[in-house]
Amino acid sequence: MTQPKPFRDLCAEHGIAVTHQRQVLYEVMQGMEGHPSPEEVYARVREQIPSISLATVYKNIHLFVESGVLREVSLHHGSIRVEMNDEDHHHMVCSKCKAIADIGEDELGLETKRRMLPGGFLVERFSVDVIGICANCQREAAPSSSTRN
Amino acid sequence: MTQPKPFRDLCAEHGIAVTHQRQVLYEVMQGMEGHPSPEEVYARVREQIPSISLATVYKNIHLFVESGVLREVSLHHGSIRVEMNDEDHHHMVCSKCKAIADIGEDELGLETKRRMLPGGFLVERFSVDVIGICANCQREAAPSSSTRN
DNA sequence: ATTTCTGCAAAACCTTTGCAAGCCG
DNA sequence: CGGCTTGCAAAGGTTTTGCAGAAAT
């Protein structure tokens, strides 16, 4: 079992109260792929707690982000996105359809050696958005060579 | 002279009309350091065209972005940011004070060799946010070792 | 019992849109 | 002129805030 400290201890560590809403919010987010918006999270949590309010979702997402429980990602998107994936990874953003996919640090083929940058900036982590064209959009954009598609 | 095609030709290339507002907007943005928000750009343009409206600024920023005249950057910020810096560069975002500084592709020490990623994603460019602590915040956060500061 | 949290509703942004008048080509 | 652009004002969407009641420690 890899979750001996499910949620109570996370809350304890960060000095926040354990509420039913937070518990469900946390679990729902754990189970969501990709980069859900607050609205999307809200919709899912509602299935379990119909009376929850969007404001509560926002408040707790912020709380979680500030506590380091999860990570905020600012993609080339309009609204806040959040992700639970805590492995080092980055994002491929399709400039045509705006789809976002994760890509592992190693698959990316980036070498991130420096821990200190010019100007004395101390590196915590790298957040890479690879802008490009996803496989689907490449197919659509190549009408002639797609004969064998 | 490096600007033989100041603005008229840019517009011609992209098939958009040359208006006074666009001309001033473009020049103002050229002259702004960093990553101004639409509001900040608006404030500057207003100095020259007091009657300009924020809506016009938004419309034309979008037009410029779509035309490729400038680049939209989505940092770890709330609103759209824009930049004229068309050299390949990335951003250092301080997780304490949220300050943003540019860093050149080479200074970053990243090797970005691949043009194609797993899943058939065709790379156009990399947009790297380095999250970390800027020199100022490091000083403030180190009360003991800052004696000789 | 106190402090913290929730849900509601209103407010505060930020950004977009519709439209009449004006400018560009 | 005809079409694109502007400015205004209003609408739209997202996120935040204030507060009374409810839950947590």
Side-chain angles (χ1 to χ4, degrees), chain B residues 8 17-19 38 54-55 58-59 62 79-80:
Chain B
R8 303 199 82 78
V18 182
T19 68
L54 182 57
Y58 270 100
K59 286 171 188 166
H62 280 147
S79 68
I80 284 185

Side-chain angles (χ1 to χ4, degrees), chain A residues 121, chain B residues 35 73 75 83 89-93 100-103 108 127-131:
Chain A
F121 190 91
Chain B
H35 314 88
V73 289
L75 304 162
E83 67 185 357
H89 73 282
H90 302 287
H91 300 109
M92 299 182 286
V93 184
I100 301 158
D102 286 358
I103 180 169
L108 225 193
S127 172
V128 180
D129 285 358
V130 187
I131 320 295

Side-chain angles (χ1 to χ4, degrees), chain A residues 20-40:
Chain A
H20 183 218
Q21 286 84 342
R22 284 179 190 165
Q23 173 88 54
V24 171
L25 184 58
Y26 182 79
E27 280 166 9
V28 160
M29 288 176 121
Q30 289 275 20
M32 290 182 84
E33 298 275 313
H35 313 88
S37 65
E39 280 285 349
E40 286 163 346

Side-chain angles (χ1 to χ4, degrees), chain B residues 25-32 34 36 64 69-71 82-87 89:
Chain B
L25 184 58
Y26 182 78
E27 280 166 7
V28 160
M29 289 177 120
Q30 289 276 19
M32 291 182 83
F64 287 164
V69 173
L70 52 80
R71 211 172 247 179
V82 135
E83 67 185 357
M84 303 296 295
N85 186 347
D86 57 354
E87 288 170 32
H89 73 282

